[in-house]
Amino acid sequence: MSETVRARLLRHLEHLTSEELEKFKLVYLVDHIPRGRLEGANHVQVADLLVISLGEQEAWELALSIWEKMGQMELCERARKDKLIWSNKIMTEKRKPKGKMSRFLAFVDKLNKMLSDQFHIHEENEDFESLQVPVLSNSTDERNKYQERMKKKFQLMKDRNSRPGEHELFHHRFTELLLLQEFHYKEQKHQLIIHRRKHTKDTLEQEPFTDLSGLFDPDRKTGIQPHTVVLQGAAGIGKSTLVIKVMLDWAEGKLYEKMFNYIFYLTCRELNSLRDKVISLADFIANEWPGPQAPIAEIMSQPEKLLFIIDGLDELKFPCNEHRYDLCKDWKEQKPVPILLSSLLRKTLLPEAYLLLTTKLTALGKFSPLLENASHVEILGFSVEHRKEYFCKFFRDENLGKEAFNLVEGNATLFTMCSIPLMNWIVCTCMKQQEERGRGLIQALKTTTSLYMSYLSNLIICDDKKFISQHLRGLCHLAAEGIWGKKLLFEEEDLRRHDLEAADVSAFLDMSIFQKDGDCENCYSFIHLSFQEFFAALFYVMSTDKEGVKNPDSSIPDVKILLEQYSGNDANFVVLVVRFLFGFLNAETARELERKFGCSMSPEIKSQLLLWIKGETKSHKKSQFSNSNLPEWYSYLYETQDAEFVTQALVNIKEFKIKVYQQSDALSALFCIKHCPGVQRIFFSYPCGVPAYVWQDFFSAVNSNHYLKELKLSWIEFDNSSIENLCVKLRNPNCTLEKLTLEGLKITDLDCQCLFSALNMKSLYLHGISFVEGDLNLPYETLKKENCQLQTLRITHSQRLGGYVKNFFSIENLQNLDMSFTWLEEREIEVLCKVFTKHDCKLQALSLEFCVLSSICFQNLFHALNFNKSLKNLDISQNFIKEAELKHLCKVLENSNCKLEKLRLANCKLTIACLKNLLPAICSSETLKFLDLRHNFFGDEGMNMLCKTLEKQNYKLQTLRLWEFDISKESERALTSLNSRISCHITWEQYEDINTKFFDWDAEDIL
């Protein structure tokens, strides 16, 4: 039974924390569903509200869009994948007859077959022997022998970097690919850019998808079954691997067992060597037969049960469209191979047979006229889950594979590239080489440049006679020219213009970084756009190298213009070129450039890069970025791994405010922050983890930076050693940090002691903290004024505080305390009240917003305030205050000892009776200047009473905040009019969490 949309919504909603759920409801969903129905709704109720209010389809799409806006990328990915699987299941189930109908149709099928057999026997009135035709049985010896031969031929595969004689089982390495049953001919000229820049997010939402078993299914629109299927895709996308999978699965009886008696596999590379031969189709088949003589007549007796796989049409070196008047119709007739192939493609030879063809997108234009009613299936590469599966298979160790995958997943650039199997193989190969050298997987992915350099270094042999440096210069020049001309395919004329002949590029062809293209006979391309960008960047290094050789070709802009182009609007085509240029500044990469390519970065280019970076950062002195617009120059500086260069580049930066979701962005940002000695404030949020050594280096930099005064770390997955390391650094006498904010972390009792006793810490804010030990009990010595310098303490939305809140009330230097959204019981409030009544109490600001305070708590609190002369700011919003408790508060306001200047009573369910008691107290208070009464139940009568009182009475009040839903326009006009006549400023705005506005916790003087 299919899972309902409601159930799927609930399953994904349960991944949200309580705070994230509140944001989901009250920031985004409130525009679609009334706020009153959302407030207090849990995960289950939210799922119900979505489906009931919007319907299943709209509810699902809205939830996806909200998760994306919230930055919940992993959740979005899971949900979209869920949608794909769910949609495919529904399509499958729709095709299947259900229950009794299914059994009835099976019975009718069987009955028809029996009647048909009897009818033919009776009509012909002949022996049973005379009725037999040369029909192949699925279990004949000949077929079994052929299948066994195909299994032996295809079951083993040789990896590109395997040792001689080393093979691997095909099924152990094969990973499923995404197949889209659509034709994208219009996009073919940009195929490499498509598969590098924009894979899968948009495409995964398209339909219809198919799999190998459905390649020859009838068309959904016309109902016609295709006899020719074209598998198309970019270079390295897995076309050949896929048809080998078809061949092997059929040979093992897993695929098309009843549909095809025989499948024959032809590669165009082999056909190229036979172009001058004159043979028949029967000869082709006989060459592959395991026995001395193939049963050709028996095979050809049922052509509708035959499938011919023709792999790599784009690699053909002879034309197939020049023989339309000389085609072959007889499988026994001998013809030149080009005519034979053209006849097979045009369906004049064995028209009933099926064809499965593979080609690059760029070659489709040449072959489309030959193919009649062909079905086109596009190979999109690996989905996210399939990429993960590939990694595990490649490393032959699930844990190691997952570790490698997680590292790549954090690098957005590489992770997108890994949708193409060839690039996946390159990344895995480099990581495995690093692991075998004992350097750890992370080293291979330290930077994008180092990954490419590592791969190429293993391919290039310095004393290889085929590898000539002059040819490399020509290849780099060609790559740069192509980038600026937005050209991906190169003709032999392009090669000659750069002093390259076809024979000169053989070394690059052998290394599989350059390839012949199938669009025309003499065309070439780089194996992937990123390799063209790498060699384009290398061109700039070679054109101005250590010998001072300048590039004589003015048609290719210099580095200065390249960087200016990057800063412009059309920067996409040079982004990776610029990244590689910065990567060449890396000391280790520079040594490899010198050793393998005989070139090095000139001081001139390094100066240009530094000057450009300074210009980019100058406009960002407060460097505030989020995931959507984190500048690329962060990652460029990370590519250099050059501390001195980064320090010079970031000389203008005083503040970092960064929220990221990709590990590559997190590593880049932390690296830049670590090497920015003048930074004064750091705000950093990343909801995942990074290696412990990264935090160790970062905290060491925090400790040694004498300018840094404020640090905020939000929703980070620290391990125990990292948070302990932070606490140790904070207690170091050299650490000058004065304000620390930690959000969404887990800390222990010991960590808490370290935080409270940091030598220079004046302000500590713990938001959404889980105290992992339920025995938080700070020693009194820790809280004494000589050991604890804290003046401001904020602990909000925190878990498992229990009765240990009272520890926080005993800090001797404490002036400002915020316990918002923390459930406080009567015994904690009693301790707080005792602190209030002490003559040396220094507490000036207190927030107990949404602390679920009881009547007794309020009575004790207001009683204690009668004896307190220090408190100036009080927030008790979002607590239910009854009339009796409010009368106690009014007495406090009227007491001359009361020094309250700011009072917040928003959303306390105050009635008009409460307002009657409150107004005289407001007018009699000598100190009260700010009052927040929004979202209470005063109504028009209350507003009228308020206007009359404020117009007639004398008072010190300067600012009054009001807002109510159910109030007449007349009352609003009366308040507006009153505002122009009295000294007190009345604001009319909806309730929101403006605690930081009302009480500026961050200011040195909270007043």
Side-chain angles (χ1 to χ4, degrees):
M1 186 174 180
S2 296
E3 188 182 25
T4 64
V5 170
R6 176 195 172 278
R8 287 189 296 130
L9 277 171
L10 178 57
R11 177 155 49 82
H12 292 299
L13 283 169
E14 285 175 344
H15 287 283
L16 299 178
T17 64
S18 56
E19 183 173 282
E20 289 167 346
L21 181 65
E22 289 300 306
K23 186 176 180 181
F24 179 92
K25 294 187 302 182
L26 303 180
V27 176
Y28 297 101
L29 196 55
V30 73
D31 293 332
H32 304 271
I33 297 173
R35 185 187 189 97
R37 301 181 69 186
L38 290 171
E39 288 181 340
N42 57 26
H43 298 81
V44 176
Q45 292 164 333
V46 170
D48 287 335
L49 284 170
L50 273 166
V51 174
I52 292 169
S53 303
L54 305 172
E56 291 189 342
Q57 182 66 25
E58 190 177 343
W60 181 256
E61 296 300 333
L62 178 61
L64 275 176
S65 67
I66 291 176
W67 291 328
E68 189 167 0
K69 289 175 184 175
M70 291 173 65
Q72 295 284 340
M73 301 308 173
E74 187 178 346
L75 184 58
C76 282
E77 187 71 34
R78 283 200 303 266
R80 286 197 175 95
K81 179 188 167 191
D82 196 6
K83 177 189 175 185
L84 173 61
I85 295 170
W86 176 70
S87 300
N88 287 342
K89 280 183 179 178
I90 286 180
M91 288 302 303
T92 304
E93 288 176 7
K94 283 182 178 178
R95 293 173 187 154
K96 291 181 181 177
K98 300 289 193 298
K100 294 179 179 179
M101 179 58 72
S102 174
R103 293 193 293 273
F104 173 74
L105 291 176
F107 169 76
V108 171
D109 229 23
K110 188 174 181 181
L111 185 62
N112 283 338
K113 189 176 185 305
M114 290 170 60
L115 291 172
S116 177
D117 291 345
Q118 290 178 12
F119 173 78
H120 285 299
I121 293 172
H122 177 72
E123 183 182 51
E124 298 295 334
N125 197 25
E126 293 181 357
D127 306 323
F128 183 73
E129 290 290 322
S130 67
L131 292 171
Q132 288 187 333
V133 292
V135 178
L136 289 172
S137 167
N138 287 346
S139 59
T140 59
D141 290 342
E142 291 297 336
R143 177 180 173 181
N144 289 341
K145 287 178 185 176
Y146 177 72
Q147 287 182 317
E148 199 61 37
R149 167 75 184 271
M150 293 300 103
K151 275 194 281 186
K152 289 181 180 178
K153 181 177 180 178
F154 293 109
Q155 68 184 354
L156 294 178
M157 65 180 293
K158 191 178 188 311
D159 205 348
R160 290 181 178 87
N161 55 0
S162 59
R163 300 179 183 88
E166 185 180 49
H167 294 82
E168 186 175 3
L169 285 173
F170 180 90
H171 288 314
H172 286 180
R173 178 61 66 88
F174 178 79
T175 306
E176 293 291 339
L177 294 158
L178 282 173
L179 305 180
L180 183 66
Q181 204 159 16
E182 279 190 9
F183 185 36
H184 290 267
Y185 182 73
K186 292 180 181 178
E187 297 176 355
Q188 62 179 265
K189 292 298 180 184
H190 307 289
Q191 58 148 324
L192 292 172
I193 296 176
I194 288 170
H195 282 278
R196 204 265 1 254
R197 306 288 188 209
K198 187 194 173 187
H199 179 267
T200 67
K201 181 182 176 184
D202 297 329
T203 333
L204 281 176
E205 296 176 354
Q206 299 180 28
E207 292 187 19
F209 283 93
T210 187
D211 55 23
L212 291 180
S213 65
L215 291 178
F216 293 96
D217 283 353
D219 184 88
R220 291 199 312 169
K221 296 177 181 177
T222 65
I224 298 173
Q225 184 180 28
H227 274 59
T228 300
V229 174
V230 182
L231 286 175
Q232 60 199 42
I237 202 73
K239 299 180 293 293
S240 296
T241 303
L242 210 56
V243 291
I244 289 174
K245 170 72 171 170
V246 171
M247 195 74 201
L248 187 56
D249 279 0
W250 171 81
E252 293 177 347
K254 299 176 183 177
L255 184 68
Y256 300 136
E257 185 179 11
K258 294 182 180 179
M259 186 172 182
F260 301 123
N261 288 336
Y262 285 96
I263 299 181
F264 301 102
Y265 178 76
L266 308 173
T267 69
C268 290
R269 289 183 183 179
E270 292 177 1
L271 293 177
N272 286 333
S273 63
L274 302 173
R275 64 180 299 176
D276 299 325
K277 297 267 186 183
V278 178
I279 57 176
S280 68
L281 184 61
D283 295 331
F284 266 121
I285 295 172
N287 287 337
E288 283 292 329
W289 205 257
Q293 187 173 359
I296 300 296
E298 188 180 7
I299 293 171
M300 295 301 179
S301 65
Q302 283 188 301
E304 74 278 5
K305 303 280 278 185
L306 301 180
L307 171 64
F308 290 89
I309 295 175
I310 302 174
D311 186 18
L313 282 177
D314 51 278
E315 298 179 7
L316 276 179
K317 292 183 177 179
F318 54 81
C320 285
N321 54 359
E322 299 177 357
H323 315 287
R324 60 196 322 188
Y325 302 112
D326 191 22
L327 297 175
C328 174
K329 296 183 179 181
D330 187 354
W331 51 268
K332 298 187 291 294
E333 185 180 1
Q334 292 195 332
K335 289 279 187 180
V337 167
I339 295 178
L340 209 59
L341 181 61
S342 181
S343 302
L344 203 57
L345 293 174
R346 292 176 184 270
K347 291 290 186 179
T348 60
L349 179 60
L350 298 180
E352 303 92 342
Y354 289 80
L355 299 179
L356 179 59
L357 318 173
T358 74
T359 179
K360 291 179 188 171
L361 291 165
T362 48
L364 278 174
K366 183 167 61 175
F367 291 101
S368 289
L370 283 74
L371 308 176
E372 184 179 342
N373 299 323
S375 171
H376 293 264
V377 176
E378 187 173 356
I379 305 174
L380 300 179
F382 291 142
S383 67
V384 173
E385 282 302 312
H386 292 150
R387 273 173 262 185
K388 187 174 184 178
E389 180 185 339
Y390 182 93
F391 270 74
C392 293
K393 287 181 177 179
F394 185 94
F395 286 94
R396 304 182 187 182
D397 180 320
E398 187 173 354
N399 292 331
L400 191 60
K402 286 180 179 178
E403 181 187 351
F405 173 81
N406 290 336
L407 290 172
V408 174
E409 190 177 27
N411 188 320
T413 302
L414 290 179
F415 193 57
T416 302
M417 290 179 182
C418 283
S419 61
I420 297 179
L422 173 65
M423 294 306 299
N424 224 348
W425 177 84
I426 289 172
V427 170
C428 287
T429 297
C430 291
M431 296 180 80
K432 191 172 184 180
Q433 288 168 350
Q434 294 290 339
E435 191 261 338
E436 288 172 349
R437 294 169 188 164
R439 299 184 62 188
L441 295 174
I442 190 67
Q443 293 301 317
L445 292 178
K446 189 88 173 179
T447 67
T448 303
T449 312
S450 65
L451 175 78
Y452 279 75
M453 199 69 218
S454 173
Y455 177 70
L456 292 170
S457 293
N458 284 288
L459 291 176
I460 296 172
I461 302 172
C462 295
D463 57 357
D464 189 346
K465 295 179 181 179
K466 296 171 73 175
F467 185 81
I468 302 174
S469 60
Q470 189 59 39
H471 296 162
L472 176 64
R473 285 179 181 271
L475 186 73
C476 293
H477 202 162
L478 183 74
E481 183 182 82
I483 289 296
W484 283 102
K486 299 182 181 179
K487 188 174 183 179
L488 305 176
L489 296 178
F490 305 96
E491 299 175 4
E492 288 190 348
E493 182 184 340
D494 298 317
L495 270 64
R496 284 193 292 272
R497 193 168 60 255
H498 299 290
D499 299 323
L500 290 171
E501 297 295 335
D504 296 334
V505 298
S506 60
F508 307 116
L509 293 172
D510 292 343
M511 289 187 288
S512 295
I513 56 177
F514 204 57
Q515 62 182 358
K516 286 192 173 183
D517 198 89
D519 196 25
C520 61
E521 189 172 351
N522 300 316
C523 278
Y524 298 83
S525 68
F526 288 86
I527 193 68
H528 190 259
L529 177 58
S530 58
F531 280 92
Q532 183 175 342
E533 291 166 312
F534 180 90
F535 285 103
L538 194 57
F539 162 79
Y540 287 103
V541 179
M542 288 186 155
S543 63
T544 312
D545 61 16
K546 61 183 179 180
E547 298 171 359
V549 179
K550 298 281 185 179
N551 168 35
D553 187 354
S554 59
S555 66
I556 299 179
D558 59 18
V559 172
K560 183 180 179 182
I561 298 176
L562 173 75
L563 295 171
E564 288 174 355
Q565 181 71 41
Y566 173 87
S567 299
N569 294 326
D570 187 20
N572 192 48
F573 74 101
V574 296
V575 166
L576 206 52
V577 178
V578 175
R579 180 189 289 266
F580 285 134
L581 274 177
F582 277 93
F584 293 153
L585 295 175
N586 182 306
E588 189 173 341
T589 302
R591 284 193 294 270
E592 282 296 293
L593 281 176
E594 177 75 31
R595 189 169 68 90
K596 290 291 185 178
F597 300 123
C599 62
S600 60
M601 179 74 78
S602 72
E604 180 185 344
I605 293 181
K606 185 173 182 178
S607 297
Q608 287 176 318
L609 294 176
L610 180 60
L611 188 64
W612 176 76
I613 278 284
K614 283 184 175 181
E616 289 291 302
T617 61
K618 194 171 288 184
S619 59
H620 300 296
K621 290 185 179 180
K622 274 196 172 184
S623 194
Q624 299 184 26
F625 305 108
S626 64
N627 182 55
S628 59
N629 63 353
L630 186 73
E632 286 284 349
W633 53 258
Y634 271 88
S635 60
Y636 294 166
L637 290 176
Y638 182 75
E639 287 285 328
T640 69
Q641 293 294 297
D642 186 333
E644 183 180 351
F645 184 88
V646 175
T647 298
Q648 293 177 46
L650 299 179
V651 67
N652 296 314
I653 301 294
K654 302 300 178 188
E655 177 180 305
F656 288 95
K657 192 172 184 180
I658 299 170
K659 184 177 183 180
V660 291
Y661 298 95
Q662 297 286 349
Q663 189 181 70
S664 57
D665 289 336
L667 292 174
S668 299
L670 289 171
F671 179 79
C672 292
I673 294 170
K674 182 176 71 172
H675 296 295
C676 183
V679 64
Q680 298 172 10
R681 290 171 298 280
I682 299 171
F683 305 88
F684 184 78
S685 175
Y686 174 56
C688 301
V690 296
Y693 76 87
V694 175
W695 288 119
Q696 187 173 351
D697 291 346
F698 177 76
F699 294 145
S700 295
V702 168
N703 180 47
S704 59
N705 186 341
H706 299 297
Y707 293 98
L708 185 63
K709 300 299 179 185
E710 184 175 352
L711 174 65
K712 178 180 179 180
L713 301 173
S714 300
W715 310 104
I716 297 169
E717 290 184 4
F718 280 129
D719 58 18
N720 292 337
S721 61
S722 296
I723 196 72
E724 288 172 9
N725 189 270
L726 170 63
C727 293
V728 170
K729 300 298 183 185
L730 292 175
R731 296 190 71 176
N732 190 303
N734 294 323
C735 182
T736 58
L737 195 68
E738 295 181 355
K739 182 179 179 183
L740 175 66
T741 299
L742 301 177
E743 292 185 331
L745 307 182
K746 296 179 180 179
I747 61 175
T748 65
D749 189 350
L750 186 60
D751 297 332
C752 209
Q753 288 188 40
C754 292
L755 294 175
F756 276 73
S757 56
L759 297 178
N760 295 299
M761 190 75 67
K762 294 180 180 178
S763 176
L764 177 62
Y765 182 17
L766 304 178
H767 175 80
I769 298 295
S770 293
F771 295 93
V772 295
E773 297 176 9
D775 188 24
L776 182 62
N777 195 3
L778 300 178
Y780 177 69
E781 290 298 317
T782 302
L783 306 176
K784 294 184 70 173
K785 58 185 178 183
E786 60 266 24
N787 296 323
C788 180
Q789 304 303 314
L790 283 179
Q791 297 176 7
T792 298
L793 174 63
R794 304 183 65 196
I795 301 182
T796 64
H797 296 80
S798 296
Q799 302 174 21
R800 297 187 66 177
L801 286 178
Y804 307 106
V805 178
K806 59 180 180 286
N807 291 282
F808 309 136
F809 301 148
S810 305
I811 301 173
E812 295 186 0
N813 289 312
L814 196 62
Q815 297 179 22
N816 312 304
L817 178 63
D818 181 8
M819 300 296 296
S820 301
F821 294 86
T822 302
W823 195 320
L824 298 179
E825 297 184 9
E826 292 171 10
R827 61 177 179 271
E828 283 93 57
I829 296 298
E830 287 177 9
V831 175
L832 176 61
C833 292
K834 290 179 181 177
V835 173
F836 274 156
T837 56
K838 290 183 178 179
H839 69 279
D840 58 349
C841 176
K842 298 178 182 178
L843 204 60
Q844 296 182 27
L846 174 66
S847 176
L848 300 175
E849 181 182 5
F850 203 84
C851 289
V852 199
L853 300 179
S854 68
S855 296
I856 295 176
C857 290
F858 279 123
Q859 290 174 22
N860 292 334
L861 180 63
F862 296 150
H863 177 74
L865 286 176
N866 280 309
F867 305 97
N868 181 278
K869 295 182 180 181
S870 64
L871 194 69
K872 296 179 180 179
N873 306 309
L874 177 64
D875 181 5
I876 48 177
S877 297
Q878 301 203 74
N879 290 287
F880 180 23
I881 302 178
K882 298 177 183 178
E883 185 179 354
E885 285 88 61
L886 188 75
K887 287 180 180 179
H888 287 289
L889 176 60
C890 293
K891 289 179 181 179
V892 173
L893 294 175
E894 293 168 348
N895 190 323
S896 59
N897 286 332
C898 177
K899 304 300 180 184
L900 277 182
E901 296 183 5
K902 292 184 178 181
L903 177 61
R904 193 164 180 236
L905 299 171
N907 204 12
C908 288
K909 301 182 180 180
L910 300 180
T911 64
I912 190 169
C914 296
L915 184 61
K916 286 179 182 178
N917 291 306
L918 188 59
L919 288 175
I922 294 171
C923 295
S924 63
S925 174
E926 292 295 325
T927 58
L928 191 63
K929 297 176 182 178
F930 298 89
L931 178 63
D932 188 350
L933 292 175
R934 288 171 301 163
H935 282 260
N936 286 296
F937 306 117
F938 301 145
D940 289 329
E941 184 183 352
M943 292 300 104
N944 185 42
M945 181 192 307
L946 185 68
C947 290
K948 288 181 179 178
T949 302
L950 294 181
E951 192 162 22
K952 295 178 180 179
Q953 300 290 331
N954 293 322
Y955 42 81
K956 302 293 184 181
L957 196 66
Q958 297 176 359
T959 300
L960 173 62
R961 286 188 176 143
L962 294 171
W963 172 263
E964 288 198 32
F965 286 110
D966 302 322
I967 194 172
S968 66
K969 294 293 183 182
E970 185 179 345
S971 292
E972 286 189 34
R973 285 193 294 271
L975 286 168
T976 303
S977 174
L978 177 66
N979 217 358
S980 63
R981 302 195 305 272
I982 62 174
S983 59
C984 176
H985 177 60
I986 302 175
T987 65
W988 187 262
E989 54 188 356
Q990 287 201 43
Y991 176 77
E992 58 182 351
D993 186 12
I994 58 162
N995 200 11
T996 51
K997 286 184 185 178
F998 200 72
F999 295 157
D1000 189 359
W1001 301 99
D1002 298 335
E1004 289 185 11
D1005 181 1
I1006 202 166
L1007 302 179

